[in-house]
Amino acid sequence: MFEWTDIQKQRLQELGATKEQVEVVFDDSAARNKAYQTLESSLVSRGREKLLDFREIIKRPALLELESKLVKALTDARFSQVVTPILLSKGLLAKMTVTEEHPLFRQVFWVDDRKCLRPMLAPNLYYILKDLLRLWPHPVSIFEVGPCFRKDTQGGEHMQEFTMLNLVEMGLPLESRPGRLKELASLVMDAAGIDDYSLETEKSEVYGETLDVVSGELELGSGAMGPHVLDQAWDIDVPWVGIGFGLERLVMVSEGFASVLRAGRSLTYLNGIRLNI
Ligand code: ATP
Ligand code: MG
């Protein structure tokens, strides 16, 4: 039995071959190499067609299209959008208990000895919410969507720079939290066009326990509830719910991509289509 060579397999995956196309086996190497020529060239033609479609019709990457849909869905649901700095101070990170001993600390990109590229949106949202809770009627519902950075192990599910959506609702009745968290998860999944997902309880290094939104084996989002020990650092003492989603992972699932790299900021892919074709 002959499988694709590693090089053939890699090229076919980059061109977006299906799982079945990647896993097929042959009686001999001549048959395999002939099949490779045919499949590779048909995938290249398909890629070129898709690129032309992108130029003529689609015009915007799925990642940004999703962001627009989410902004619409959330503002329609009375959430206000905020935009906060990408450069984060060491002090704000420490308020999330992410200090030297913390596993996430090693994943942080430092710009200088006091500032890093934010690995998450939560510290900034906490910072703003402390004031908004004083200034606005409750519940206070806000969200941010924007770049985050982590030295995560590379692979099909992680990028070093990715796009996070974090939505938070603070000052809501204690007993309404689990239901509200589910409602908000479903609002985001609807906007992303994903209906096959589940909610699972997981352990988290930052929040203790999270309610994760999962598709197959892949974590799409992590939800948390307060009052929470982290709230004290910001003098926040109202009940809350919040969820953080990775937009590239949402696109990966809705588009059926095998790797998150196809969905994100890239020099090799344009809207998931390989450019070296
Ligand atoms: P994982 O366990 O999959 O590494 P995580 O639990 O560390 O993810 P969270 O801190 O919960 O991630 O971040 C919220 C969401 O952000 C995740 O559910 C995921 O969708 C997304 N995310 C986190 N890290 C990355 C990354 N390196 N690349 C792409 N998306 C990411
Ligand atoms: Mg998580």
Side-chain angles (χ1 to χ4, degrees):
M1 292 235 287
F2 284 76
E3 300 178 349
W4 301 119
T5 65
D6 288 345
I7 292 171
Q8 287 173 338
K9 195 185 265 179
Q10 191 187 339
R11 175 72 174 158
L12 295 175
Q13 277 167 337
E14 286 168 0
L15 294 173
T18 62
K19 203 160 165 276
E20 293 73 43
Q21 286 171 327
V22 172
E23 283 170 0
V24 71
V25 288
F26 301 89
D27 294 337
D28 56 69
S29 64
R32 176 193 64 196
N33 294 345
K34 190 156 177 284
Y36 175 77
Q37 299 293 341
T38 316
L39 180 57
E40 204 258 1
S41 84
S42 87
L43 290 172
V44 164
S45 313
R46 190 188 65 177
R48 289 179 180 211
E49 272 166 36
K50 281 191 169 179
L51 273 179
L52 284 174
D53 265 5
F54 181 78
R55 176 178 186 265
E56 302 297 330
I57 302 159
I58 299 172
K59 296 186 203 263
R60 295 187 79 211
L63 182 68
L64 299 186
E65 204 50 52
L66 172 61
E67 181 174 335
S68 301
K69 281 188 197 149
L70 289 165
V71 169
K72 170 90 173 66
L74 285 162
T75 51
D76 283 354
R78 302 177 60 84
F79 274 76
S80 309
Q81 185 171 14
V82 302
V83 60
T84 69
I86 289 170
L87 288 175
L88 182 71
S89 73
K90 196 173 187 176
L92 275 188
L93 203 57
K95 274 187 143 188
M96 295 296 294
T97 69
V98 181
T99 52
E100 256 93 335
E101 314 77 53
H102 197 284
L104 191 60
F105 195 86
R106 288 191 295 277
Q107 301 190 332
V108 173
F109 285 97
W110 291 98
V111 175
D112 61 28
D113 54 0
R114 281 163 153 197
K115 281 207 154 27
C116 64
L117 299 173
R118 62 184 181 191
M120 51 169 79
L121 302 175
N124 290 350
L125 297 183
Y126 260 125
Y127 193 99
I128 293 190
L129 279 160
K130 161 182 64 63
D131 286 324
L132 290 181
L133 282 168
R134 181 171 54 78
L135 298 165
W136 284 357
H138 296 188
V140 173
S141 313
I142 63 168
F143 72 96
E144 174 159 10
V145 46
C148 286
F149 303 81
R150 289 184 196 178
K151 291 180 187 169
D152 257 315
T153 45
Q154 295 282 289
E157 296 176 3
H158 292 94
M159 305 186 78
Q160 297 209 319
E161 52 176 301
F162 60 100
T163 317
M164 185 96 88
L165 162 70
N166 203 327
L167 49 99
V168 192
E169 191 158 77
M170 284 197 170
L172 73 175
L174 200 66
E175 63 287 356
S176 70
R177 294 172 309 162
R180 187 60 177 151
L181 204 52
K182 286 192 187 115
E183 224 167 75
L184 294 174
S186 121
L187 184 144
V188 169
M189 299 312 274
D190 278 354
I194 302 170
D195 33 49
D196 192 15
Y197 67 93
S198 57
L199 299 175
E200 294 172 13
T201 310
E202 293 288 334
K203 285 213 164 359
S204 152
E205 276 140 11
V206 178
Y207 294 101
E209 207 173 69
T210 59
L211 184 72
D212 285 358
V213 183
V214 180
S215 165
E217 295 283 285
L218 184 67
E219 178 188 316
L220 302 178
S222 269
M225 287 191 240
H228 193 280
V229 280
L230 289 177
D231 302 353
Q232 289 157 17
W234 279 271
D235 281 329
I236 287 173
D237 60 2
V238 292
W240 60 266
V241 295
I243 322 184
F245 288 93
L247 262 58
E248 289 81 4
R249 292 206 185 159
L250 295 176
V251 170
M252 176 183 171
V253 170
S254 65
E255 298 285 318
F257 293 159
S259 163
V260 75
L261 302 182
R262 284 181 69 187
R265 290 173 185 264
S266 178
L267 296 174
T268 41
Y269 292 102
L270 180 55
N271 201 31
I273 310 152
R274 193 81 191 180
L275 287 170
N276 65 346
I277 51 176

